[in-house]
């Protein structure tokens, strides 16, 4: 069970509506009071009949009572029940009224949830049958009793909302830290670990377009940065296609190496990202082009690497590797500037391999 479901179950508030018992007993009085009145009127009319007059129609009285009960009491009684009531004596109806009223009130004086309604109706019916002597009224009284027993332990949405807010204010937030181990291989996933995986999005099966949109925006920002740098500075790649080609080759070689290393990290080769040769790429660009381009490219390559290696981090960027890559790249650029022999060797190798045209 998730934390939200447990919180909802703990905060659900039910209230006992004691007024329901009184309202249902009033409906008992209304049903039997109408039956007593109609039965008395029919008896009086029969007594007042003279020779040659027709007796009052029972069906008309039954239809009238059914319509009156439906409107006043909001209950649908069967025609057989109404006929039994109208053909019973006033004394029998008064006794049955008292029995049904007491049974309904006593049963509904206790809390009855929706699931407990059938049991409560059986209990009320049993009480009535133990007290009722007339077998003729058995079915009619049973139907009336069962229809008037309803649930009085009702869900209170306002009190539940207040309880939820109170419980939320008392709950301490659970922090899932970056790099935190949620479950080990072969470990049985419990409810707590499952809830943490759901919160961090590991259980989401839907494909969202937002990462791809973010990658597109990131690529456009890098291109704009490169364009702005080449326009605002007197860079050799601005005036020479050969230098531009050389820059693109070195840059894409570094991206290919990063991609290969990220694949190795996915294959559980731990720590392999830290051997990414950012400094080597910066040293090559520093000697083939100039130091400014090398420093600028270190920032671009570090940003690209932090995005490619973000599988090891919770955010969009691997911030630790970003700092490491920038420092190592800057160190490589400044280190090569302090070693004339290394400078000559790099120039000799790179120019002979990349810049010498083949005949």
């Amino acid at each position: 069970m998730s934390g939200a479901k447990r919180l909802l179950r703990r905060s659900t508030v039910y209230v006992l509506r004691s007024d329901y018992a009184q309202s249902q007993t009033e409906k008992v009085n209304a049903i039997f009071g109408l039956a007593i009145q109609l039965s008395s009127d029919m008896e009086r009319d029969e007594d007042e009949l003279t020779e040659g007059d027709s007796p009052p129609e029972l069906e008309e009285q039954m239809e009238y009572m059914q319509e009156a009960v439906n409107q006043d009491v909001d209950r649908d009684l069967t025609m057989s029940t109404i006929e039994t009531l109208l053909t019973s004596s006033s004394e029998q109806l008064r006794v049955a009224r008292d029995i049904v009223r007491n049974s309904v009130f006593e049963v509904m004086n206790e809390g009855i949830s929706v699931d407990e309604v059938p049991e409560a109706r059986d209990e009320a019916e049993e009480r009535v049958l133990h007290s009722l002597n007339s077998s003729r009224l058995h079915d009619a009284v049973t139907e009336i009793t069962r229809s008037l027993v309803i649930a009085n332990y009702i869900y209170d949405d306002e009190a539940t909302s207040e309880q939820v807010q109170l419980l939320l204010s008392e709950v301490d937030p659970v922090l899932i830290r970056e790099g935190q181990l949620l479950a080990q291989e072969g470990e049985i996933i419990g409810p707590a670990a499952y809830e943490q995986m759901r919160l961090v999005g590991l259980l989401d099966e839907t494909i969202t377009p937002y990462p791809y949109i973010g990658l597109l925006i990131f690529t456009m920002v890098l291109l704009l940065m490169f364009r702005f740098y080449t326009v605002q500075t007197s860079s050799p790649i601005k005036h020479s296609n050969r230098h531009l080609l050389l820059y693109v080759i070195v840059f894409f070689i570094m991206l290919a190496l990063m991609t290969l290393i990220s694949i190795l990290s996915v294959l559980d080769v731990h720590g392999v990202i830290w051997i990414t040769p950012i400094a080597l790429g910066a040293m090559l660009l520093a000697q083939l082009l100039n130091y400014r381009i090398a420093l600028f490219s270190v920032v671009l390559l570090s940003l690209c690497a932090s995005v490619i290696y973000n599988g090891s981090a919770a955010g969009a960027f691997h911030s630790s590797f970003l700092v490491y890559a920038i420092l190592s790249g800057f160190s490589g650029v400044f280190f090569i500037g302090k070693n004339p022999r290394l400078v000559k060797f790099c120039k000799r190798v790179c120019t002979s391999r990349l810049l010498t045209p083949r005949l």
Side-chain angles (χ1 to χ4, degrees), residues 64-358:
Y64 171 77
M65 181 174 179
Q66 187 180 42
E67 183 178 355
V69 170
N70 190 17
Q71 291 180 356
D72 299 339
V73 186
D74 194 20
R75 285 292 181 273
D76 291 327
L77 299 179
T78 60
M79 296 301 290
S80 60
T81 297
I82 295 176
E83 182 179 2
T84 302
L85 294 177
L86 294 180
T87 55
S88 301
S89 64
S90 299
E91 184 64 24
Q92 291 177 330
L93 293 176
R94 290 189 179 92
V95 173
R97 178 195 61 191
D98 295 340
I99 293 174
V100 173
R101 181 176 57 194
N102 293 338
S103 299
V104 171
F105 183 81
E106 290 175 359
V107 171
M108 293 195 60
N109 216 20
E110 301 177 357
I112 304 174
S113 63
V114 177
D115 297 333
E116 297 173 347
V117 169
E119 298 179 3
R121 288 176 176 175
D122 293 339
E123 182 182 352
E125 180 182 353
E126 186 177 354
R127 289 172 180 266
V128 169
L129 296 180
H130 286 168
S131 304
L132 187 65
N133 295 325
S134 176
S135 58
R136 183 174 179 275
L137 289 171
H138 174 273
D139 294 337
V141 169
T142 298
E143 180 185 350
I144 295 173
T145 303
R146 295 186 67 88
S147 66
L148 291 176
V149 175
I150 61 174
N152 61 352
Y153 196 57
I154 306 300
Y155 168 77
D156 192 335
D157 54 347
E158 295 183 359
T160 299
S161 300
E162 295 177 359
Q163 185 69 12
V164 169
Q165 296 300 324
L166 178 61
L167 291 177
L168 288 176
S169 63
E170 297 176 352
V171 174
D172 296 330
V174 178
L175 299 179
I176 302 176
R177 303 184 181 278
E178 181 179 348
Q180 177 181 343
L181 181 63
L182 300 181
Q184 295 181 352
E185 184 178 358
E187 180 183 354
I188 298 177
I189 305 299
Y194 188 87
E195 180 68 12
Q196 290 179 338
M197 291 180 182
R198 186 189 66 82
L199 292 175
V200 299
L202 296 179
L203 304 180
D204 295 339
E205 297 181 356
T206 57
I207 299 177
T208 175
Y210 297 112
Y212 302 99
I213 297 175
L215 181 60
L216 177 62
I217 295 175
F218 177 75
T219 304
M220 294 177 62
V221 170
L222 293 184
L223 293 176
L224 289 175
M225 291 174 60
F226 180 77
R227 176 61 179 171
F228 179 80
Y229 176 80
T230 55
V231 170
Q232 297 297 325
T233 60
S234 58
S235 173
I237 60 177
K238 180 180 178 181
H239 307 287
S240 174
N241 291 334
R242 176 176 294 183
H243 288 91
L244 178 61
L245 177 61
L246 180 61
Y247 180 84
V248 171
I249 291 174
V250 175
F251 196 90
F252 276 93
I253 288 176
M254 295 301 301
L255 291 181
L257 288 174
M258 295 176 193
T259 305
L260 179 61
I261 293 174
S262 67
I263 295 175
L264 293 177
S265 64
V266 172
L267 299 177
D268 293 335
V269 181
H270 301 290
V272 70
I273 64 174
W274 304 104
I275 66 172
T276 305
I278 299 291
L280 176 60
M283 292 166 63
L284 289 175
L285 293 175
Q287 297 308 312
L288 297 177
L289 300 175
N290 60 39
Y291 289 95
R292 290 185 178 179
I293 293 179
L295 294 175
F296 175 74
S297 300
V298 166
V299 177
L300 296 184
L301 290 173
S302 300
L303 290 173
C304 294
S306 65
V307 172
I308 294 175
Y309 298 151
N310 70 339
S312 303
F317 295 90
H318 196 314
S319 56
S320 300
F321 186 83
L322 177 62
V323 175
Y324 165 77
I326 292 177
L327 293 178
S328 64
F330 285 175
S331 300
V333 173
F334 292 122
F335 170 75
I336 198 172
K338 300 296 183 179
N339 291 270
R341 294 182 180 179
L342 186 59
V343 171
K344 294 179 180 180
F345 175 77
C346 290
K347 284 184 176 181
R348 186 180 304 170
V349 173
C350 294
T351 53
S352 62
R353 295 291 184 182
L354 297 177
L355 298 181
T356 302
R358 295 179 181 267

Side-chain angles (χ1 to χ4, degrees), residues 1-14 115 153 155-156 159-161 163-164 167-168:
M1 183 183 297
S2 65
K5 291 183 179 179
R6 289 196 298 269
L7 178 63
L8 182 60
R9 174 169 292 185
R10 289 178 53 194
S11 59
T12 302
V13 178
Y14 292 87
D115 297 333
Y153 196 57
Y155 168 77
D156 192 335
T160 299
S161 300
Q163 185 69 12
V164 169
L167 291 177
L168 288 176

